[in-house]
Amino acid sequence: MEFVDLRSDTVTKPTPEMREAMAEAEVGDDVYMDDPTVNALQEKAAEMLGKEDSLFVPSGTMGNLLALLVHCQRGDEVIVGDKSHIYVNEAGGMSALGGIHPHPLKNQADGTLALDEILAAIQSEDVHHTITRLICLENTQNACGGVVLSADYMRAVGKIARENNLSLHVDGARIFNAATALNISVKDLVEPADSVMFCLSKGLVSPVGSMLVGTKKFINRARHLRKMVGGGMRQAGVLAAAGLISLEKMSTRLGQDHARAKKLFEGLNQVQGLKLDAFGSSSTNMVFFNLADEVKLSVDQIIEEMKKHGVLVDWAGPRRFRLVTHYWVDDAGVEKAIKAFAAVMK
């Protein structure tokens, strides 16, 4: 059976063009910084995001960890959202490996951290306190529905950071989705940030890899730390070749995924037993919903029944689902998913 896979945009497989580019990639030893394809990818990423330099890393989690380790010393504090990927889904790396103390603030329904709460969270100079060094934002904000943080909001947080001698890091795993939804350049969106991580391996379809961007000084230190945590790669141009196609071609087609997510939302909104989160203009390639109280099926039972209909889905909570559109989900796949849910929820 050919499956429609809506579990995540991390399930994307490389396109035929990517596979060809990977097979023919010119390579070197990236630890020596002489892999020409990796170097080209890093130059392209820095240029597109308007930063001085960038670093190719195996995963978004490693990219975020490196940023935290560069910006903060042991015992320093970072302001994060309580629903942020860094705080919830990265195995406590900031604390375990960096000795960094998280100060979680409530993510608002629109994904933001309230500006007054950010200001109140900045520690005063006192021997009893940790030292606040960093603010972290996530854009798009996954756990809040794939919602987008606006350029105005990003600038407002950047202003707070500058005025308080803090740095601003953006977990931009899906930053190109955010820029697409806002119809602005990704460079303009991340202008206030001191560092940004973004994934090549989600909506941008590469099989492996993420990018970390910032100043040359920042990236030099991040490269050293990448080696420390085991991320030094050798002939990585085989992977970077796909990343170049991600930046040059896949970054321009994300609106198709957003349109299909909207179509999926509209179809599922007609299925009895599903209580969908609002799909506003700030939403991107994700559809979230809860099961109505009267539904007797468990999420695991629904997952198994959907599989019988050729659709793969995953839970996001005890009575909650998240569906994610991507390059390999076409219009027919969306219709198949809607019909499958209608059949399963009867």
Side-chain angles (χ1 to χ4, degrees):
M1 184 184 296
E2 186 173 339
F3 288 95
V4 176
D5 197 340
L6 293 167
R7 293 173 298 172
S8 177
D9 46 9
T10 62
V11 303
T12 50
K13 299 175 182 178
T15 66
E17 183 182 10
M18 285 181 175
R19 292 180 184 273
E20 183 178 353
M22 292 167 73
E24 297 178 355
E26 185 180 0
V27 298
D29 188 324
D30 184 47
V31 175
Y32 285 117
M33 299 173 62
D34 65 6
D35 186 306
T37 310
V38 172
N39 292 342
L41 174 63
Q42 291 173 163
E43 290 170 9
K44 182 71 173 177
E47 175 190 352
M48 290 183 73
L49 273 76
K51 305 302 181 185
E52 291 180 357
D53 205 354
S54 80
L55 184 68
F56 184 41
V57 296
S59 71
T61 294
M62 182 182 285
N64 282 332
L65 175 63
L66 296 180
L68 288 160
L69 294 176
V70 175
H71 287 303
C72 300
Q73 299 297 310
R74 300 188 70 83
D76 286 346
E77 185 168 280
V78 55
I79 296 170
V80 293
D82 66 345
K83 292 184 180 180
S84 68
H85 196 276
I86 287 175
Y87 183 62
V88 178
N89 295 115
E90 297 188 2
M94 73 169 84
S95 300
L97 302 178
I100 301 164
H101 184 65
H103 187 143
L105 301 181
K106 180 179 175 59
N107 278 107
Q108 307 299 308
D110 62 359
T112 64
L113 308 178
L115 298 180
D116 59 343
E117 292 185 11
I118 294 175
L119 282 166
I122 299 170
Q123 297 280 22
S124 59
E125 291 190 18
D126 188 297
V127 69
H128 301 91
H129 296 168
T130 53
I131 299 172
T132 308
R133 296 286 188 197
L134 181 67
I135 303 169
C136 290
L137 298 177
E138 183 179 331
N139 199 4
T140 63
Q141 222 300 327
N142 176 9
C144 293
V147 295
V148 174
L149 308 187
S150 71
D152 286 344
Y153 177 78
M154 298 275 280
R155 284 192 290 269
V157 177
K159 184 173 184 288
I160 290 174
R162 288 190 304 274
E163 290 177 349
N164 290 276
N165 296 314
L166 307 180
S167 297
L168 172 61
H169 172 68
V170 175
D171 174 357
R174 297 178 175 90
I175 197 68
F176 282 88
N177 290 90
T180 297
L182 294 169
N183 195 30
I184 62 174
S185 73
V186 70
K187 182 187 297 187
D188 289 342
L189 185 56
V190 303
E191 188 277 329
D194 297 284
S195 59
V196 184
M197 183 285 297
F198 69 89
C199 293
L200 300 167
S201 56
K202 292 187 170 74
L204 299 186
V205 193
S206 280
V208 176
S210 293
M211 306 302 299
L212 181 63
V213 303
T215 64
K216 287 187 179 297
K217 181 179 180 181
F218 172 88
I219 293 299
N220 283 340
R221 179 59 178 154
R223 180 175 286 107
H224 181 213
L225 292 166
R226 182 186 70 172
K227 180 66 174 174
M228 182 189 296
V229 298
M233 297 177 285
R234 301 297 178 177
Q235 287 68 42
V238 173
L239 300 172
L244 281 168
I245 293 173
S246 289
L247 293 182
E248 292 166 357
K249 297 186 178 181
M250 297 298 146
S251 64
T252 64
R253 57 151 308 279
L254 294 172
Q256 298 174 41
D257 298 339
H258 300 177
R260 289 181 176 124
K262 182 72 177 298
K263 183 178 179 181
L264 181 63
F265 168 86
E266 291 170 348
L268 294 179
N269 208 27
Q270 305 304 312
V271 176
Q272 189 171 358
L274 305 184
K275 298 173 64 177
L276 276 82
D277 292 10
F279 192 93
S281 59
S282 63
S283 295
T284 49
N285 65 327
M286 297 183 186
V287 176
F288 282 80
F289 59 86
N290 295 313
L291 299 178
D293 293 340
E294 65 269 18
V295 174
K296 303 303 181 184
L297 292 171
S298 70
V299 291
D300 289 334
Q301 288 173 320
I302 291 172
I303 289 169
E304 288 304 311
E305 290 301 312
M306 290 293 291
K307 190 181 295 183
K308 294 176 185 177
H309 287 78
V311 180
L312 301 179
V313 297
D314 200 4
W315 58 272
R319 303 274 293 172
R320 188 166 174 79
F321 285 89
R322 181 193 75 163
L323 309 183
V324 187
T325 55
H326 51 78
Y327 180 88
W328 295 106
V329 177
D330 58 13
D331 290 334
V334 170
E335 290 296 335
K336 183 176 180 178
I338 294 168
K339 291 177 181 177
F341 266 108
V344 170
M345 300 305 295
K346 277 185 177 179

